[in-house]
Amino acid sequence: MTQAPTPTADTVRRLVRSLLADSALGTSATAGPDVRPVGAGGEASTWWVGARHVLRLAPDRDASARLRRELRLRDLVRPHLGVAVPVGVAHGEWAAGLAYTLDTRVPGGSAEEHDVSAVGEADLAALLTGLREVPARQAETLGVPRVAPRSLEALRRAAERAAERLAAADEFDPARLHQLTPAAATQLAAQAGTAVLVHHDLRGEHLVVSADGRVRGVLDWADAVVGDPAEDIAGLALAVGSPAAVRAATLAGYAARPCLRGLWLARCDTIVRLAESLTGRDAGPRPLLRVQLRRAWEAILLERVTELREQDEEG
């Protein structure tokens, strides 16, 4: 199989010059467009183009198919969401069989840069509500896959093993995981008939947050599936903390079961991923994994009330 070319700044400049006039780029004909790599852009090479655009270049054919599907999916979800979704300016192929999309930039920072306010939690609730309203069958006709819910009990067992490795490295107290018993994991199994459109990658970097804490947009819809809504609640727990994620899900109309399921998916995932990072099997940045572990294990209101009751009984 032919190896995909590595995009360079010159590659990006030539492509952008063919798509946009210098006036649209906010630059002169002699200076050329200002292009800068965003950094770790997932499966696509992502570049800032001036102050108003973002260019993503798919590295292989599978990513290209997902990028093309994302363009159609964004048009489907946009009327249902209370937050912005990037608008495509141009799309095509930047190399043989490899797709690109040039999008407008949604103004704001990320949830890793700005804290989400109480009003921002209402924005997240509108996002979850909107995702539930998107017709799942229409999403599937666009090629969005339907994915079965994960086994929380299997994940709990994996987290137990990982917690012991973290304890040996003085990273985590495995006793904290005892809150999730096998019986509780069974009770929190996903219920039949609850599948909705799920973003499935609600990381902090994909939430556009303004300086005042409002959630202004959601990026990168390439991993969307029709499946378990608790996965997006789990993603929010990693991005903004478990209390804010559960409050947003509750505002969106989700009951205790999916909220608690999402909470424990996030908690177990963070234990497993950090343990894999220590053994070199997870390439994610370890400082961020530690931050996500802390966010996922923040106590929600129900747990705090329980702790207070236990303290009163002991007293």
Side-chain angles (χ1 to χ4, degrees), residues 167-244:
D170 200 25
E171 292 273 3
F172 182 77
D173 178 5
R176 302 176 71 187
L177 191 56
H178 295 167
Q179 300 172 60
L180 182 64
T181 64
T186 300
Q187 289 177 337
L188 294 177
Q191 294 178 299
T194 58
V196 300
L197 181 67
V198 178
H199 181 280
H200 217 244
D201 200 16
L202 287 179
R203 293 182 288 174
E205 66 187 79
H206 293 156
L207 297 176
V208 181
V209 181
S210 58
D212 62 357
R214 294 292 303 273
V215 178
R216 300 299 185 181
V218 180
L219 313 178
D220 199 341
W221 293 78
D223 291 319
V225 300
V226 174
D228 182 6
E231 295 287 358
D232 275 349
I233 299 172
L236 291 179
L238 303 188
V240 300
S242 287

Side-chain angles (χ1 to χ4, degrees), residues 98-265:
L98 303 182
Y100 74 82
T101 175
L102 180 67
D103 300 329
T104 56
R105 183 174 178 178
V106 180
S110 74
E112 300 297 341
E113 300 169 311
H114 302 302
D115 292 333
V116 172
S117 65
V119 182
E121 290 178 16
D123 296 329
L124 293 175
L127 166 65
L128 294 176
T129 300
L131 285 169
R132 196 169 52 210
E133 293 174 349
V134 175
R137 287 192 176 183
Q138 281 187 253
E140 289 181 284
T141 61
L142 299 180
V144 175
R146 181 175 286 265
V147 175
R150 289 191 287 167
S151 167
L152 182 55
E153 172 56 18
L155 183 59
R156 184 195 67 81
R157 292 195 299 267
E160 275 191 338
R161 296 189 294 271
E164 295 300 329
R165 297 197 295 273
L166 292 182
D170 200 25
E171 292 273 3
F172 182 77
D173 178 5
R176 302 176 71 187
L177 191 56
H178 295 167
Q179 300 172 60
L180 182 64
T181 64
T186 300
Q187 289 177 337
L188 294 177
Q191 294 178 299
T194 58
V196 300
L197 181 67
V198 178
H199 181 280
H200 217 244
D201 200 16
L202 287 179
R203 293 182 288 174
E205 66 187 79
H206 293 156
L207 297 176
V208 181
V209 181
S210 58
D212 62 357
R214 294 292 303 273
V215 178
R216 300 299 185 181
V218 180
L219 313 178
D220 199 341
W221 293 78
D223 291 319
V225 300
V226 174
D228 182 6
E231 295 287 358
D232 275 349
I233 299 172
L236 291 179
L238 303 188
V240 300
S242 287
V246 170
R247 286 193 296 266
T250 302
L251 280 173
Y254 282 107
R257 183 192 297 265
C259 289
L260 290 172
R261 176 175 167 80
L263 176 72
W264 282 106
L265 286 172

Side-chain angles (χ1 to χ4, degrees), residues 300-313:
I300 63 172
L301 180 60
L302 178 61
E303 292 172 316
R304 289 173 177 164
V305 170
T306 302
E307 289 172 0
L308 289 173
R309 286 175 179 168
E310 290 174 349
Q311 290 171 5
D312 289 341
E313 290 171 0

